[in-house]
Amino acid sequence: MVSLGFVSSSDRCPDHARHVRVLPGDASSVSFMPADVEIAPDPLGRTRWLLSWYAPDLVNVENWARGMASQLVVLAWNPWCLDVESLARTLDLSTDRALLRWGEPFWSTYHGDLQADVVVYLAVGEHRRLVYQAVRHWESRFTHLRFATEHDLDGGKSDGR
């Protein structure tokens, strides 16, 4: 089971949560790599893990979203936090449209660890209502996903539900 939670920003994630962002990538480059993992201290001295996933093709989101899901399954990160704004910026779509476009192929591939529940935080920024609409759609499509109020770290502030 994958439990989805909300945070206003990735800085609000629990210290042990890994961070994931989506950035534009150039697949025609000789040195193109689809992903990069960094381990570095943040300004407060906490160790942070960051996966930067480089989207080489904004038309065929299905291809790289499935690869991203497979890589996250292999990494077995629990919990992790998606920077929703980076996804929307990279796809040049509204927050809800970006999540829906990415979410279909991603969640059809990503089931997390079948031995334990996985928590995925969505850094919603100012777009809580739009993110929640995408989450409701995902819940209706994927039985392994659920929004978990216990992982809503902002407790419904600026509630869009």
Side-chain angles (χ1 to χ4, degrees), residues 104 133-143 145-146:
E104 289 290 321
Q133 289 172 4
V135 167
R136 297 294 294 168
H137 174 78
W138 294 340
E139 286 177 320
S140 71
R141 296 264 305 120
F142 304 105
T143 58
L145 292 178
R146 70 175 179 88

Side-chain angles (χ1 to χ4, degrees), residues 2-135:
V2 178
S3 296
L4 301 173
F6 286 175
V7 293
S8 57
S9 71
S10 59
D11 295 342
R12 301 265 322 204
C13 283
D15 289 347
H16 60 287
R18 307 320 200 214
H19 298 263
V20 177
R21 66 182 175 186
V22 178
L23 302 171
D26 181 5
S28 66
S29 169
V30 177
S31 62
F32 177 76
M33 296 293 289
D36 183 34
V37 175
E38 301 170 42
I39 307 167
D42 70 6
L44 299 175
R46 300 172 294 193
T47 300
R48 293 289 190 185
W49 291 67
L50 171 65
L51 171 68
S52 296
W53 191 267
Y54 298 99
D57 182 358
L58 304 184
V59 175
N60 298 309
V61 173
E62 302 80 25
N63 294 337
W64 59 262
R66 285 189 181 98
M68 180 182 179
S70 296
Q71 186 62 55
L72 280 162
V73 168
V74 169
L75 288 171
W77 284 0
N78 187 23
W80 58 275
C81 177
L82 176 66
D83 179 342
V84 171
E85 288 183 16
S86 72
L87 178 67
R89 266 192 318 273
T90 297
L91 294 179
D92 194 26
L93 294 171
S94 64
T95 301
D96 55 335
R97 289 181 45 111
L99 286 168
L100 292 173
R101 182 101 188 268
W102 166 86
E104 289 290 321
F106 183 87
W107 296 119
S108 66
T109 303
Y110 183 87
H111 294 273
D113 181 351
L114 298 177
Q115 305 303 312
D117 284 349
V118 174
V119 178
V120 176
Y121 293 100
L122 302 172
V124 299
E126 299 295 320
H127 306 284
R128 182 183 177 92
R129 180 180 304 249
L130 295 175
V131 174
Y132 190 70
Q133 289 172 4
V135 167

